[in-house]
Amino acid sequence: MIFRGKPENVNRQAANWLARLHADDRSAQDDAEFRVWLHADPNHARAFDQASTIWEAVGGLRDAPRAPAPPRLSRRAVMAGGAGLVLTGGLTLGWRQAHAGVFKTGIGEQRRFILDDGTRIMLDTDTHVRFRARDSMRLLTLEGGRVSLEIARDPRPFVIDAGDRRAVAQAARLDVRRDADQVALTALQGSAQVEASGKAIRVGSGQRIAMAAGRSDRFDQPEIDDLVAWQSGRLAFRDETVAQAAAEMNRYTHRTLLVSDPQAADMRLSGVYRVGDPEAFARSLAVLLPVKIAADSDAIRISAAP
């Protein structure tokens, strides 16, 4: 893929390319598109070299790709970008045919399925959904977790049940997340109608609605590239606290990141990080921020450096 964006996003683009060039499924097309991106702007080569330098500094392989012709690699390692890092993970991916109407992932898993109506769905870590196609509608129940939907064209409406809220769409691309009574729905393409207090609220392409019990609905227009980063096993943070980032990273692993004190918890970071390797994530924080790391078999503790 060719990463395009504003000039201030060049470091993030370089981090994405470093991850792509070290991925297990790297292709000749990736190499060709990387060269197009590299030569499109002199700043791209400088950003990529900086990403490789930081990657080496946090313990990555010493044969990191350097512009303009990175070698073919497929290893588990730390990969860095200018403002943050891209870390390799161990998520399971691949298309599977739908059956029985119940779909689940465990912690650290991501899976793709094709539903009976032709809709393509991707489940994030620790996600549970049920699907049933009826004569009058198609019903997907999101018990918890996060899904990406490419809804197939069909005369029947596609209904998403997420606890106290329902959404209705047809032939749209949606990102839906449910954490207990908190639900967020983003229309990536097309639109959806969200039912609320007997009314239907339209969520248009590029819009997100965040809903929670006892709170007014919130609308915004998120950075879509950041929002969908999880689909490639990454998380994108923009000026998030260490506590917030650690909580998101913990969704993908049994080895918990513990932020040991308020000073470390309130530090802020930006960047794109590969999930599934909490130790490498913590090690990267020690390079970028004034924190210290203490690890044992069950947890990794992050605290402010003295």
Side-chain angles (χ1 to χ4, degrees), residues 1 11 64 151 177 256 271:
M1 68 191 76
N11 286 334
I151 300 173
R177 177 171 173 173
T256 306

mmCIF file of all heavy atoms in Angstrom, residues 1 11 64 151 177 256 271:
data_model
loop_
_atom_site.group_PDB
_atom_site.id
_atom_site.type_symbol
_atom_site.label_atom_id
_atom_site.label_comp_id
_atom_site.label_asym_id
_atom_site.label_seq_id
_atom_site.Cartn_x
_atom_site.Cartn_y
_atom_site.Cartn_z
ATOM 1 N N MET A 1 0.839 -1.182 0.000
ATOM 2 C CA MET A 1 0.000 0.000 0.000
ATOM 3 C C MET A 1 0.878 1.237 0.000
ATOM 4 O O MET A 1 1.963 1.231 0.556
ATOM 5 C CB MET A 1 -0.901 -0.005 1.240
ATOM 6 C CG MET A 1 -0.155 0.180 2.535
ATOM 7 S SD MET A 1 -1.193 -0.151 3.986
ATOM 8 C CE MET A 1 -1.206 -1.947 3.930
ATOM 9 N N ASN A 11 6.726 10.933 9.378
ATOM 10 C CA ASN A 11 7.346 9.985 10.304
ATOM 11 C C ASN A 11 6.455 8.766 10.525
ATOM 12 O O ASN A 11 6.945 7.635 10.622
ATOM 13 C CB ASN A 11 7.629 10.670 11.650
ATOM 14 C CG ASN A 11 8.803 11.621 11.568
ATOM 15 O OD1 ASN A 11 9.687 11.450 10.739
ATOM 16 N ND2 ASN A 11 8.807 12.631 12.416
ATOM 17 N N ALA A 64 18.665 -3.824 9.566
ATOM 18 C CA ALA A 64 17.432 -3.108 9.260
ATOM 19 C C ALA A 64 17.479 -2.552 7.853
ATOM 20 O O ALA A 64 18.525 -2.160 7.363
ATOM 21 C CB ALA A 64 17.264 -1.937 10.252
ATOM 22 N N ILE A 151 -20.396 -4.766 4.552
ATOM 23 C CA ILE A 151 -21.742 -5.317 4.444
ATOM 24 C C ILE A 151 -22.094 -5.557 2.985
ATOM 25 O O ILE A 151 -22.014 -4.647 2.149
ATOM 26 C CB ILE A 151 -22.766 -4.382 5.104
ATOM 27 C CG1 ILE A 151 -22.412 -4.203 6.587
ATOM 28 C CG2 ILE A 151 -24.180 -4.919 4.945
ATOM 29 C CD1 ILE A 151 -23.266 -3.164 7.300
ATOM 30 N N ARG A 177 -17.220 -0.990 17.935
ATOM 31 C CA ARG A 177 -16.538 -1.465 19.143
ATOM 32 C C ARG A 177 -17.481 -1.389 20.332
ATOM 33 O O ARG A 177 -18.213 -0.400 20.496
ATOM 34 C CB ARG A 177 -15.284 -0.629 19.414
ATOM 35 C CG ARG A 177 -14.548 -1.012 20.703
ATOM 36 C CD ARG A 177 -13.212 -0.310 20.807
ATOM 37 N NE ARG A 177 -12.580 -0.549 22.094
ATOM 38 C CZ ARG A 177 -11.355 -0.169 22.427
ATOM 39 N NH1 ARG A 177 -10.606 0.464 21.531
ATOM 40 N NH2 ARG A 177 -10.855 -0.424 23.611
ATOM 41 N N THR A 256 0.630 -8.489 31.325
ATOM 42 C CA THR A 256 0.074 -7.157 31.521
ATOM 43 C C THR A 256 1.154 -6.086 31.648
ATOM 44 O O THR A 256 2.181 -6.289 32.300
ATOM 45 C CB THR A 256 -0.796 -7.136 32.792
ATOM 46 O OG1 THR A 256 -1.772 -8.173 32.698
ATOM 47 C CG2 THR A 256 -1.496 -5.794 32.952
ATOM 48 N N GLY A 271 2.451 7.716 18.044
ATOM 49 C CA GLY A 271 3.127 6.766 17.183
ATOM 50 C C GLY A 271 2.261 5.580 16.831
ATOM 51 O O GLY A 271 1.120 5.474 17.264
#
